[in-house]
Amino acid sequence: MNTKIEKLPENVVKVDIEVPAKDAVSYYNNAAKRLAQFVNIPGFRKGKAPRNVLEQHIGEERIKHEALENALPRIFADVVKENDFDVVAQPYVESYTFNVGEDLKITAKIELRPEVTLGEYKGLTVEVEEYKTPEDAFQKSVDNLLSQSAETILVTDRVTEANDIVVFDFEGFANGEKIEHGDAKNYTLDLANSSFIPGFAEQLVGKPMGEEFEINVTFPETYHEKKLAGQPAVFKCKINEIKTKVLPELTDEFAQKVGPFKTVDDLKADIQSYLDTQKSDIDRTNSEKAVFEKVVNDAKVEIQQSMIDRETDQLVEEYKQKLQMQGFNWDQAVEAQGYENIMKELKEDAAVRVKNSLVIDKIAKEENITVSQADFGAKLSELSRMYQIDTPTMIKQLSQTPGVFNALSQQALNEKVTQFLADNNTVKLK
């Protein structure tokens, strides 16, 4: 097999390939034998018709197509190995000349991984802002713990207050029309933790039970239903029940109920330990991120647009899946945010992800960092624990999704390279 290589822009090479006639004939004959097994030709058993009869029945071009389908992966693999190409996408055929008895001529293009020039990536000193635990974090943790064990009681002798839970009826109107899905009976709302339209919950404060009243709000400009975005609305409401939370006392008995603690001091020590660990984890994550970003920013690489486009397509699919999990779809997102805005953000993210991946792979190559079977097994075990599925079942499920094992392997490599950078650079918290 003879090849002629021509470098093109955007990290693409044009390859002219000549396959000797004897090999091309072998590909053609093998393809004819395979096709004969599936073609019914009068007067012949399947697979027994001579080649010339098969050609008359289905045509030479069909056989040539079958021959190329099976031969091209082998041919391209030889070309890639012979030229030590680092390929990032499936090679594609521009043209070919396939006359039985003559050399097979193929012109193809192969997209290569762009060359990465690393800056300094070891021995760096990077300054990172130290995470400060909020002053009220400890008390909030205690309050949250008490709130989780709070008793809810019915109130009948006063109006609603800001921290109450109310059960109420409501019916909404906008632009003189009833709002679709804008009504409910005996709806329960925690006034202190409301996700309703801004200003809605606040207007439910100071209201008595049983009395009908109206509240006025304005839908946010970014509201997902375009016809309601930025529009004023009126809601007719009636409070049916008022409930309030009664917090337990912070005692040794309470501490013993919520965990393996004997005293309040044991509980408080555990909360403080959690906050200290949280601070340490955040500082470590921020440090790793700062070092990685420094290394990536100092690296130079010319990325072809095709790589960014493919990564963008992948991000679009991930975004659609995320929307679906949240109860929305792509069309709703486009209507709310605008197609151009969504795609602009995804393309920017894609460019960052591609460069990050290229830099990681380059460092891994330079430092001989590889993913072992144990590393891959650890990722599978991590997923098994996360989804509470045994590892064999997890493997079976993942095998149904193309490319997922490669993605897991890349994720494991990312983590190993990130750890290598953390171990070989210095971070100063300021």
Side-chain angles (χ1 to χ4, degrees):
M1 184 172 68
N2 297 319
T3 57
K4 178 184 174 185
I5 308 297
E6 179 186 351
K7 289 187 177 181
L8 301 176
E10 295 278 294
N11 295 308
V12 173
V13 291
K14 178 183 174 185
V15 186
D16 292 316
I17 306 168
E18 283 191 8
V19 179
K22 63 181 181 62
D23 293 333
V25 168
S26 177
Y27 294 145
Y28 185 87
N29 288 337
N30 289 337
K33 288 178 182 178
R34 282 193 301 274
L35 288 172
Q37 303 295 324
F38 304 99
V39 178
N40 289 316
I41 299 177
F44 298 92
R45 286 182 295 155
K46 279 187 178 181
K48 299 300 181 181
R51 196 184 84 180
N52 64 322
V53 175
L54 183 69
E55 289 172 341
Q56 292 172 9
H57 195 77
I58 64 174
E60 280 191 9
E61 290 305 313
R62 176 70 185 89
I63 301 173
K64 289 176 184 177
H65 181 77
E66 173 72 15
L68 287 172
E69 282 275 320
N70 285 273
L72 282 175
R74 202 175 321 156
I75 292 170
F76 285 140
D78 290 341
V79 171
V80 168
K81 184 177 180 181
E82 180 183 330
N83 293 276
D84 195 26
F85 286 151
D86 191 354
V87 180
V88 295
Q90 189 73 21
Y92 57 95
V93 175
E94 269 201 336
S95 63
Y96 65 88
T97 303
F98 194 172
N99 296 316
V100 180
E102 300 177 5
D103 290 348
L104 167 61
K105 296 180 180 180
I106 302 168
T107 297
K109 286 183 177 177
I110 303 177
E111 187 180 344
L112 306 180
R113 182 183 301 273
E115 184 60 37
V116 178
T117 303
L118 294 171
E120 295 295 330
Y121 64 92
K122 293 186 287 188
L124 300 171
T125 299
V126 180
E127 286 192 344
V128 177
E129 185 175 345
E130 183 179 8
Y131 174 74
K132 295 293 185 184
T133 303
E135 291 182 4
D136 61 349
F138 181 86
Q139 189 57 49
K140 278 189 174 180
S141 297
V142 173
D143 292 343
N144 286 339
L145 200 56
L146 292 171
S147 180
Q148 290 170 18
S149 300
E151 181 185 358
T152 302
I153 62 171
L154 198 63
V155 176
T156 58
D157 58 351
R158 63 168 173 81
V159 297
T160 56
E161 296 178 355
N163 290 318
D164 284 340
I165 297 170
V166 298
V167 179
F168 71 115
D169 302 337
F170 65 89
E171 188 176 21
F173 300 85
N175 299 316
E177 298 179 357
K178 185 176 177 180
I179 298 172
E180 187 177 2
H181 307 303
D183 63 301
K185 295 287 187 182
N186 290 320
Y187 189 91
T188 300
L189 181 65
D190 185 343
L191 298 183
N193 300 284
S194 168
S195 59
F196 271 35
I197 307 163
F200 190 104
E202 290 82 350
Q203 294 183 59
L204 292 177
V205 175
K207 304 298 183 183
M209 275 197 304
E211 184 178 302
E212 294 186 357
F213 57 92
E214 293 184 354
I215 61 175
N216 295 277
V217 293
T218 301
F219 282 94
E221 295 289 345
T222 55
Y223 195 66
H224 62 272
E225 286 191 39
K226 207 165 185 179
K227 65 179 182 180
L228 293 175
Q231 296 300 309
V234 176
F235 283 83
K236 296 179 179 179
C237 304
K238 187 180 78 167
I239 306 290
N240 298 326
E241 290 181 0
I242 302 173
K243 299 177 181 179
T244 189
K245 290 181 179 179
V246 178
L247 301 180
E249 290 185 28
L250 185 59
T251 63
D252 291 346
E253 184 182 357
F254 173 79
Q256 292 161 13
K257 285 182 179 179
V258 297
F261 314 111
K262 291 183 178 180
T263 66
V264 171
D265 288 341
D266 292 341
L267 173 59
K268 288 182 175 180
D270 186 73
I271 292 173
Q272 188 59 55
S273 175
Y274 168 78
L275 294 174
D276 292 343
T277 301
Q278 182 186 57
K279 169 184 162 43
S280 177
D281 289 345
I282 292 173
D283 280 338
R284 185 185 68 254
T285 301
N286 289 344
S287 297
E288 290 175 352
K289 181 180 177 184
V291 170
F292 184 75
E293 287 180 349
K294 168 70 174 167
V295 171
V296 170
N297 289 337
D298 289 348
K300 293 180 174 57
V301 55
E302 293 293 330
I303 304 171
Q304 55 263 38
Q305 187 61 43
S306 55
M307 289 187 75
I308 296 174
D309 290 342
R310 284 193 296 273
E311 190 67 27
T312 301
D313 292 341
Q314 177 64 31
L315 283 175
V316 168
E317 291 307 310
E318 290 177 14
Y319 185 53
K320 287 180 179 178
Q321 290 175 11
K322 197 176 294 184
L323 287 169
Q324 190 174 10
M325 290 172 64
Q326 296 170 350
F328 297 98
N329 60 44
W330 173 255
D331 291 337
Q332 288 173 316
V334 168
E335 184 179 356
Q337 301 173 50
Y339 178 80
E340 294 299 327
N341 292 332
I342 294 175
M343 292 306 298
K344 179 177 181 292
E345 186 172 342
L346 292 180
K347 286 177 182 177
E348 289 172 354
D349 289 347
V352 170
R353 278 183 30 166
V354 170
K355 185 176 183 182
N356 288 353
S357 179
L358 290 170
V359 171
I360 285 170
D361 289 347
K362 180 69 172 179
I363 293 172
K365 186 176 180 181
E366 292 290 323
E367 299 295 335
N368 197 27
I369 300 172
T370 58
V371 175
S372 67
Q373 188 172 352
D375 296 326
F376 190 75
K379 293 303 297 180
L380 288 174
S381 297
E382 185 182 315
L383 282 177
S384 297
R385 288 192 301 272
M386 184 184 303
Y387 293 104
Q388 298 182 336
I389 302 173
D390 62 89
T391 301
T393 303
M394 174 65 67
I395 292 173
K396 186 177 180 181
Q397 290 184 2
L398 292 178
S399 63
Q400 298 173 9
T401 306
V404 70
F405 290 118
N406 285 338
L408 278 178
S409 182
Q410 183 65 46
Q411 193 178 84
L413 183 65
N414 294 354
E415 291 173 3
K416 292 190 77 170
V417 170
T418 299
Q419 187 60 53
F420 171 85
L421 293 175
D423 293 341
N424 288 273
N425 293 286
T426 302
V427 173
K428 288 186 176 179
L429 297 175
K430 63 175 182 178

